Amino acid sequence: SRSLASADGKIAGSAVDAKKMPAGVASDAAKRGVKKGVGAFRMCVKRACLFERASPPEATMDDLLEREERGSPLRGGDHYCRVTPSGGGGEESSRRTRTVFQTARPRFDGEEMTFSVAHFGVEFRIEVLDANTDRPVGTSLLTTQGLLQRQRDALSTESGLTLRTLLDPRSQRPLRGTVKLELRTGVKSGFGLDFFNAAKMKGSGDGVSREKDEGTRAGEIRGWVEVDLLFEEDVDLICDADPQVCPPRPPDDFNVDLIQIHIARIGALVEDVKKAADNYNYLVSWKDPALTFLSLMIFVFSCIRFDTEYVGSLPVLLLLLYMIYLAKVRRQGDFKQRWIQKEKDARIEAEKKMAVSYSVYRPVGCLDVTVLSGKNLYSRELGLPGSLFASVIWDPIKFADEKTRKSIVKSDQLTRGYHLVGMTTSGGLTANPVWAEMIESDETRRLKQLLPTTDFWAPQKEKNETPEAEDWPFVRFPILQPLEHGVKTSSKVLPWQSSPGAVIIQIRFHDILNRLPVFDDLLGEVILPLSRLVKERYVEGWFKLHENGFFESSSVPTLDDGIQYPVLEIGNDKPQSLDDKLNRKAMEPSHEDETTDGEHAITTIQGYPEVYIKISFRTPKHYVEMTADAEKEASIVIAEEMIRSAVDDKDSSLGLIGSSISTFNTVRGLGGSVQYVQNQLGSVLDVVEQARNIFNFADPRKSALIFAGLTAVWIVLAVIPTRLLILVGGLGQYAATFYGAFLESPKQKDTRSDHAVTTDEEDDSKQSPFATRVANFFTSLPTDEDLRRTYFWEARRVGERYRQKLAASKRQSRLKKLWRAQWFGTIEVKERRLLHANQTGRAWAWEAAFALIQGHRFVWWKSEKHFDDGEAPLGNIFFAGHAGLAGLSPLDLRELTPEEIPLVVCIFGRGAEGQQKITLLAPTRQIKDALEDAVLNVSDKND
């Protein structure tokens, strides 16, 4: 058996002997009386295997089984399995197996679980939980349409399939079998929202992670579970003489992620229309002379020889020919390649977005910022103190107008969005918080890992330097010098003073009385133009908060005359220069209420909300320079990471960072309206996608029925002139109305009217059986979103393999120029594992890792992707003092196999816990020799 998402698209083990299924599973659902709604789902949980260390989300079931065979550390303990229907799955509650104690390979061998499926949007959440904490170790999610689609895929490639078989829904029984499902992390509540959010999490989020200081991505695999599956669709919804109405999917709650999914679905439909138009333009463009000439001959022949009396048959004929082509594609098993190709194209597009489009070197400036305290910070709605925190944001184009913004973004992709620098911890429940700690953002932490040199992150002190950054809890962030814009390819940088960017400090208030889950109350913000920071280099003081983000300080350092700062609009006032606000004498806010200096005056308003900020900015000449290649590579790495963050934030954020208070208050009142629009948009998209999928054999049986019906229509249109059919239809309408107006007797009219009123009173909403069957027919079809979820992980695996090829060249350049690595490669590291009562074998296991030697240290990560993404390394070994290569001990020789001994390398040095030794396994003898030579070279230099 293999995973449900197996490479061939079939349900693994679908041809398994019925004896493998629990007794009674194969019996007819209608006889057992469990089928209501749209069908019945039966499953039996057999066994599971749980790993101590998670595998990447793109790992296949073969990779997991191979890892198990190699003795990878397993996660022992007490476990049980729980199955829960969601999405309005009916009255059934969750079901669970018995608890299996003290094992990492629990055998549940549970009884059959039967669920009535209320509608086609029901999802089944299969969890293996730790019995001691009742927290999930891993989760697998199945959708109703996903289960049906696996059966459809198996049916479409089945041998001996005929049109007659397809047209008879009762001719074949549902497929059943034993499958292995991946148990993934990061699954919270829903299939399409939480499950497919690939954002990196801090920790696994499941409460069972045993890995320290290691980022966990949503969807990482903790093991697998083996289950017997059987889903039986209620064919009576379409075939019965008096069918029941198929229940619709329930409306969704308001969710920003769901709106973004709907927008993406609209974009996909628009892209398909564009592709169709591009294909037509290519057909008539003579780019392929033979193809265009052939289409021309067909067009001319058709116009000359085709009888226009039968023009109605032409579009139906074209549709039938297209369906025949789609049926061939489906029969060959290439239907899902469309979804895999979409993922591959998305990866290519994402890599293009992340790439640096300019060739000029951009110097890197160093921003140090902290927010120390605040005063008079009350809720604007209730006037109450609360839990407050400050966030620091870098906006590269804050003061640019709309036209200039578009021009800058076109030249510099990292300006597409905001960059979160860091934030403070909560100051407690007070209006005068003191923030003692600044927390780096994920983007800042990734940049730290991507830049191995400490020259930037720890600049040397200069003579006559006033501020001492080490004395305050600052966050450091790199800022790239602005580029020339308005040209196709930027070839030079602009002066720092010309930057339209700004550092934004936002103060947010957790309103526990009136708060939407996705929003925090924005009390106000302070905006510091980068042009000022370039001139001042260091700014400190109390800064007033403003709703629309205007910069003002009650203790402003003196500025030189003549400095022109970017223009900023304040409410409905006319734009004005920041010089008019900043060129005044500094004063202490608490000494007196008003101070006058010539023409300028400042009034300190008692009780005005303020925050105390320290911020400094250094241009590249203020810190130690690197070599030219390393400096350029560092600039490129910073740009790529900022572009990635800007693109991700632009695609996923609410777009309300930096908005005024009125924007947030307006959003609060839109909950019900937005939910209605969201669900209506989703319903329209479902209908459009289902109408398209009825022709592409997403469901072979239903598409075959449509094909047969269209064939009959085409035959009629090909035999009878279209003009006569239109004439008969029009005359029939006029004849019916003529009979009702002149020939029908008054008694007949009264009888028909009374019968119509009685029927409406008996059942106002009852439809005819035919209309009900047609409605059920379309409701059961999958949408594009259903298909995307069905093939999601398989498509992602293909996309990840392609991404690895694109990332390899970037990694090579970074390792050689920036890291200056003496050696790097993929190896395996010896790690200890816990053996439980019924476990045997080694007390350790080999775990794959990516490692390098940089300077005087050996560093390793979980994988190459973790290195590419700027994740923290798993460990470091410093070659200081007594360090270098070590030999194998007698115990090592007894534990290792004869095949492993020639490939093992032992390194010792100073680690996180003092003197440390690690054992490595190289994949080949050549890689082992290269690693040993690099270690010896570093050790000799150290001596």
Side-chain angles (χ1 to χ4, degrees), residues 577-847:
S577 173
L578 290 179
D579 287 320
D580 298 335
K581 295 291 181 182
L582 301 178
N583 290 332
R584 27 186 154 171
K585 186 177 178 180
M587 62 164 291
E588 295 296 332
S590 59
H591 287 188
E592 49 186 6
D593 293 341
E594 183 171 327
T595 301
T596 304
D597 178 26
E599 298 179 356
H600 302 284
I602 297 179
T603 300
T604 303
I605 304 175
Q606 297 294 334
Y608 203 92
E610 297 178 283
V611 291
Y612 194 84
I613 299 170
K614 288 185 179 182
I615 184 169
S616 69
F617 182 73
R618 306 165 188 250
T619 53
K621 63 183 179 181
H622 297 299
Y623 62 86
V624 178
E625 295 184 356
M626 296 177 286
T627 61
D629 287 344
E631 191 174 50
K632 184 176 181 180
E633 187 67 24
S635 177
I636 293 175
V637 169
I638 292 172
E640 289 177 346
E641 177 58 32
M642 286 187 169
I643 290 173
R644 184 175 76 163
S645 298
V647 171
D648 291 345
D649 291 343
K650 194 73 175 178
D651 293 342
S652 62
S653 67
L654 301 178
L656 294 173
I657 298 178
S659 299
S660 63
I661 303 301
S662 59
T663 304
F664 284 88
N665 292 335
T666 301
V667 173
R668 289 175 177 275
L670 296 179
S673 301
V674 174
Q675 180 182 359
Y676 175 78
V677 173
Q678 165 196 281
N679 292 329
Q680 290 300 312
L681 179 60
S683 299
V684 172
L685 288 170
D686 288 346
V687 171
V688 173
E689 292 171 354
Q690 287 171 331
R692 184 176 65 171
N693 289 335
I694 199 173
F695 298 105
N696 62 11
F697 289 87
D699 187 337
R701 294 187 185 280
K702 295 180 176 62
S703 295
L705 288 172
I706 294 297
F707 183 84
L710 288 175
T711 302
V713 172
W714 176 74
I715 292 174
V716 171
L717 293 173
V719 173
I720 303 174
T722 306
R723 181 175 56 179
L724 293 180
L725 293 175
I726 297 175
L727 176 63
V728 171
L731 290 177
Q733 179 181 358
Y734 282 105
T737 55
F738 180 83
Y739 176 81
F742 300 105
L743 301 180
E744 190 176 19
S745 65
K747 184 177 181 180
Q748 290 176 327
K749 291 182 180 180
D750 294 340
T751 303
R752 180 165 51 84
S753 177
D754 293 341
H755 177 72
V757 172
T758 304
T759 303
D760 291 340
E761 290 177 353
E762 290 177 353
D763 188 2
D764 188 43
S765 60
K766 187 175 181 180
Q767 300 179 3
S768 67
F770 177 78
T772 301
R773 284 195 292 270
V774 171
N776 293 345
F777 181 86
F778 281 95
T779 303
S780 62
L781 289 168
T783 65
D784 285 359
E785 182 62 16
D786 294 327
L787 297 174
R788 182 186 75 89
R789 298 178 184 184
T790 301
Y791 304 120
F792 177 81
W793 288 114
E794 188 171 353
R796 182 168 173 177
R797 290 186 186 105
V798 175
E800 177 61 21
R801 287 196 293 268
Y802 189 79
R803 185 208 66 83
Q804 291 175 356
K805 295 179 181 179
L806 298 177
S809 60
K810 293 183 180 180
R811 188 185 312 118
Q812 293 274 350
S813 177
R814 184 187 307 172
L815 288 167
K816 292 178 179 179
K817 296 180 180 178
L818 186 59
W819 286 78
R820 286 169 281 183
Q822 292 97 316
W823 176 92
F824 58 88
T826 301
I827 57 172
E828 293 180 275
V829 181
K830 180 180 177 181
E831 291 190 358
R832 295 180 181 178
R833 62 169 179 163
L834 296 176
L835 289 179
H836 300 280
N838 56 348
Q839 278 188 282
T840 59
R842 292 173 170 178
W844 54 269
W846 297 113
E847 292 292 345

Side-chain angles (χ1 to χ4, degrees), residues 47-60:
R47 60 194 179 105
C49 179
L50 308 174
F51 296 107
E52 180 74 20
R53 186 174 173 185
S55 297
E58 298 82 14
T60 64

Side-chain angles (χ1 to χ4, degrees), residues 855-867:
H856 292 273
R857 63 173 183 158
F858 178 85
V859 196
W860 68 96
W861 287 261
K862 186 176 180 181
S863 66
E864 292 175 330
K865 182 172 178 56
H866 283 74
F867 172 79

